[in-house]
Amino acid sequence: MRLMVRLRLAPALLLGLAACQAVPPREEVPKGTVDAGWPTIPADAKFGEVSAVDVDSAGNIFVLHRAGRVWEEPFPTDPIADPTVFVFSPEGELIDRWGAGQFIMPHGISIDAEDKVWITDVAHEQVFRFSHDGQQELAIGERGVTRQDASHFGRPADVAFLGDRVLVADGYVNTRVAEFDREGHFIRDWGDFNVAHAIAVDENRIYVADRENGRIQIYSLDRELVESRVSPAGNHTYSLKPLGNGRLLAVEGRDGADLNGAIVRIYAVDGSIERSFDVGLPGNGVSLGHDLAIGPDGKVYLTDVPGRRVVRFSIPPTR
């Protein structure tokens, strides 16, 4: 009898819980202005979900995209046939493309001080190092095998560099930062995250986008946690980049939802927010700010996965 009562009450209880978990009010922030017409993509170039972006020492912009493939699980097993790395000049001209037939679900791209290109693939469960023109030089991890140990990854998301160390945000399944030397030899791992989605380094700190916990975790260079920054709107932080002098740039989804919007925030050195602005497309579920890069001229590049675009903008002056 008690079981029958519980079963009858369950739908009402679920409705009550749903009412308590109402969607938070939409955060109102100023609309950001992107550079119209940047970049120029030729008609013969298949451009898909745009996952990641970085800039080389000459100011050229490397964009990682999925060329007609969308994120779906279980992941496909066949590699993407078309080029997945597009290289644009600062003026927005497509000057190179490579990566055809190499990736299944590419996710992150990072360029080191020697202009080597590091790419993560969450389906391959590997981190790759390429020459500047796309020749594979190194692969870390066992292809297709998911574990959290010295030889494997759990959907690695992003890479950053600290001196001669390679820091891997690992990732969608695993809960850590995995640390290697430049030749892929495991050194150690650390942290405890719920989707370590992005990682960045400046002269004093290591920053990790702890996405599903809705916060930025900040570490000393000795890997000691020194600060946690929670989104004021309960959003998920997807990417972050240091601006120098302790300031930080970050992009979030909005209203606590995973797949909605692109709110850019500028954090002051004390953790307060200097500015927030929206660079997403109008409407719900049509934009997701996913990665950030900053050029030598200070221009900011942001990838938008469902919007299938990379945009460029300037940081508004401090008020």
Side-chain angles (χ1 to χ4, degrees):
M1 186 68 177
R2 286 182 181 175
L3 180 59
M4 292 297 292
V5 170
R6 284 176 183 168
L7 289 174
R8 287 170 184 164
L9 288 177
L13 179 59
L14 290 173
L15 286 173
L17 289 172
C20 292
Q21 296 174 348
V23 176
R26 183 177 178 85
E27 181 185 13
E28 296 300 331
V29 298
K31 191 70 178 175
T33 301
V34 302
D35 293 346
W38 193 100
T40 301
I41 301 173
D44 69 338
K46 184 180 288 187
F47 204 51
E49 289 187 342
V50 188
S51 183
V53 61
D54 208 354
V55 182
D56 70 10
S57 62
N60 297 313
I61 299 89
F62 283 63
V63 176
L64 183 68
H65 69 104
R66 297 178 184 141
R69 176 161 293 171
V70 299
W71 181 293
E72 57 184 1
E73 300 183 50
F75 293 140
T77 57
D78 57 310
I80 299 170
D82 294 289
T84 50
V85 178
F86 281 8
V87 185
F88 296 95
S89 71
E91 295 73 34
E93 177 188 359
L94 182 61
I95 57 176
D96 197 7
R97 54 182 116 171
W98 50 267
Q102 292 181 296
F103 305 110
I104 293 177
M105 197 59 67
H107 189 275
I109 189 168
S110 303
I111 301 176
D112 67 21
E114 298 177 353
D115 278 342
K116 303 291 186 179
V117 182
W118 298 72
I119 293 175
T120 68
D121 188 312
V122 296
H124 278 323
E125 294 286 19
Q126 289 178 299
V127 176
F128 300 92
R129 188 188 73 210
F130 292 88
S131 66
H132 191 263
D133 60 357
Q135 300 302 308
Q136 183 179 319
E137 299 177 342
L138 177 70
I140 312 174
E142 183 178 357
R143 178 160 295 192
V145 178
T146 305
R147 292 182 194 140
Q148 183 158 309
D149 60 29
S151 305
H152 299 89
F153 296 109
R155 295 192 182 180
D158 193 27
V159 174
F161 311 101
L162 178 59
D164 62 353
R165 303 294 175 89
V166 179
L167 309 180
V168 180
D170 180 36
Y172 279 81
V173 174
N174 289 348
T175 58
R176 63 178 179 168
V177 170
E179 197 166 321
F180 301 84
D181 68 18
R182 294 298 177 112
E183 296 307 314
H185 301 114
F186 180 79
I187 297 170
R188 58 177 166 175
D189 54 14
W190 48 272
D192 185 14
F193 310 101
N194 188 0
V195 183
H197 195 265
I199 185 166
V201 177
D202 67 12
E203 61 274 11
N204 295 309
R205 295 286 186 262
I206 301 169
Y207 305 87
V208 180
D210 189 6
R211 195 187 78 179
E212 295 305 296
N213 284 326
R215 65 189 180 184
I216 298 168
Q217 298 286 77
I218 303 177
Y219 294 81
S220 71
L221 298 187
D222 294 324
R223 288 62 164 176
E224 297 289 336
L225 181 65
V226 296
E227 185 182 352
S228 293
R229 294 181 186 172
V230 178
S231 164
N235 296 337
H236 297 82
T237 298
Y238 279 82
S239 186
L240 32 70
K241 285 294 184 293
L243 289 169
N245 299 318
R247 297 168 72 233
L248 185 69
L249 184 72
V251 61
E252 303 175 352
R254 67 177 307 148
D255 304 328
D258 251 356
L259 301 177
N260 187 16
I263 300 293
V264 176
R265 301 202 196 274
I266 301 171
Y267 287 90
V269 64
D270 64 359
S272 62
I273 295 175
E274 292 180 9
R275 298 288 297 271
S276 298
F277 51 96
D278 186 345
V279 293
L281 294 168
N284 289 329
V286 294
S287 275
L288 174 61
H290 198 255
D291 194 27
L292 292 165
I294 303 174
D297 58 357
K299 292 283 190 179
V300 178
Y301 301 88
L302 178 143
T303 65
D304 181 348
V305 176
R308 301 192 176 193
R309 62 186 186 134
V310 56
V311 298
R312 184 177 71 174
F313 59 90
S314 299
I315 296 175
T318 303
R319 290 178 296 188

